[in-house]
Amino acid sequence: KNEVEQSPQNLTAQEGEFITINCSYSVGISALHWLQQHPGGGIVSLFMLSSGKKKHGRLIATINIQEKHSSLHITASHPRDSAVYICAVRTETSGSRLTFGEGTQLTVNP
Amino acid sequence: DSGVTQTPKHLITATGQRVTLRCSPRSGDLSVYWYQQSLDQGLQFLIQYYNGEERAKGNILERFSAQQFPDLHSELNLSSLELGDSALYFCASSVALTDEQYFGPGTRLTVT
């Protein structure tokens, strides 16, 4: 079993829909990252969080440390949001190295 | 643009060969990370350097080595290449050891 599990693996939505991507982890962590990988391959860091909630534009990330769970929400989705979203954790014992989930492929149709 | 640069963007080479991938971190960042993304393994951490010193090692093969130079740029050397080494190799940088990481555009390596 992977230390970091994401769901769903694939998600198709219509433009304007509210989207939620989930990440569960099985180890103690010091931080959790949400990354976005574009079709061309480039990776963009969206959020780094260790507690609570962060918001940037239409993106919201939350984390519940007790339940070992994080969610990434996209409000008013748009076709340009189509990408792979990757959850990664920095565990309490791994220093600064990241352990990655397998990613969620999001497709937003116009 | 994250400010992290990687060269080359694409590299095609034959089995048994050796290649060097280069990464320049964002201005002011002291820490450099190397990651491999293959179709069957996903993203994996390879190695981290901080201010010229190796700080953490992940699933890096013995055929692979890296270093960080005094100007803070880093190189990842891959030798005795095998077909399975074909992957995207990303470099990331951060200011200190546990800060947010900024990813470069990656180098796509194809071993034929």
Side-chain angles (χ1 to χ4, degrees):
Chain A
K1 186 170 163 39
N2 292 337
E3 289 181 327
V4 183
E5 299 273 351
Q6 285 186 238
S7 64
Q9 282 189 312
N10 294 282
L11 182 55
T12 300
Q14 288 301 120
E15 184 172 356
E17 285 185 1
F18 180 84
I19 287 161
T20 296
I21 299 170
N22 296 299
C23 175
S24 297
Y25 50 91
S26 56
V27 294
I29 68 167
S30 54
L32 183 143
H33 297 244
W34 281 103
L35 310 171
Q36 179 192 53
Q37 186 167 27
H38 297 288
I43 294 176
V44 174
S45 178
L46 298 175
F47 296 102
M48 183 180 78
L49 61 166
S50 54
S51 65
K53 177 179 174 177
K54 286 190 176 180
K55 184 175 191 289
H56 181 69
R58 296 179 294 107
L59 301 178
I60 304 165
T62 64
I63 188 167
N64 185 318
I65 297 293
Q66 287 73 31
E67 294 188 2
K68 293 186 165 62
H69 181 269
S70 175
S71 293
L72 176 68
H73 305 287
I74 305 175
T75 61
S77 60
H78 190 276
R80 65 174 174 265
D81 297 326
S82 298
V84 176
Y85 292 83
I86 302 168
C87 170
V89 301
R90 201 168 67 228
T91 71
E92 290 171 337
T93 56
S94 68
S96 49
R97 59 181 289 180
L98 295 179
T99 300
F100 299 87
E102 293 188 356
T104 295
Q105 172 70 63
L106 171 65
T107 303
V108 182
N109 293 317
Chain B
D1 184 357
S2 66
V4 180
T5 60
Q6 287 188 249
T7 56
K9 284 187 179 172
H10 302 277
L11 198 48
I12 302 174
T13 189
T15 54
Q17 295 298 304
R18 173 189 166 93
V19 297
T20 296
L21 313 183
R22 183 188 167 105
C23 168
S24 293
R26 293 186 322 155
S27 177
D29 285 1
L30 298 178
S31 194
V32 170
Y33 310 77
W34 285 99
Y35 297 97
Q36 179 194 56
Q37 186 179 38
S38 59
L39 280 175
D40 55 343
Q41 298 273 357
L43 265 165
Q44 290 194 97
F45 167 77
L46 294 178
I47 197 163
Q48 178 201 7
Y49 281 83
Y50 178 77
N51 204 20
E53 303 274 334
E54 182 185 303
R55 288 304 299 249
K57 219 168 189 176
N59 302 322
I60 187 166
L61 300 171
E62 284 191 11
R63 301 183 285 108
F64 296 1
S65 64
Q67 54 184 324
Q68 187 180 27
F69 294 86
D71 67 353
L72 301 177
H73 91 272
S74 177
E75 292 181 356
L76 179 67
N77 300 296
L78 315 176
S79 61
S80 303
L81 285 167
E82 301 175 0
L83 295 177
D85 298 328
S86 295
L88 263 171
Y89 291 84
F90 288 100
C91 164
S93 72
S94 64
V95 174
L97 290 170
T98 57
D99 291 327
E100 187 162 2
Q101 297 180 25
Y102 295 87
F103 285 76
T107 292
R108 186 174 295 277
L109 173 67
T110 303
V111 182
T112 62

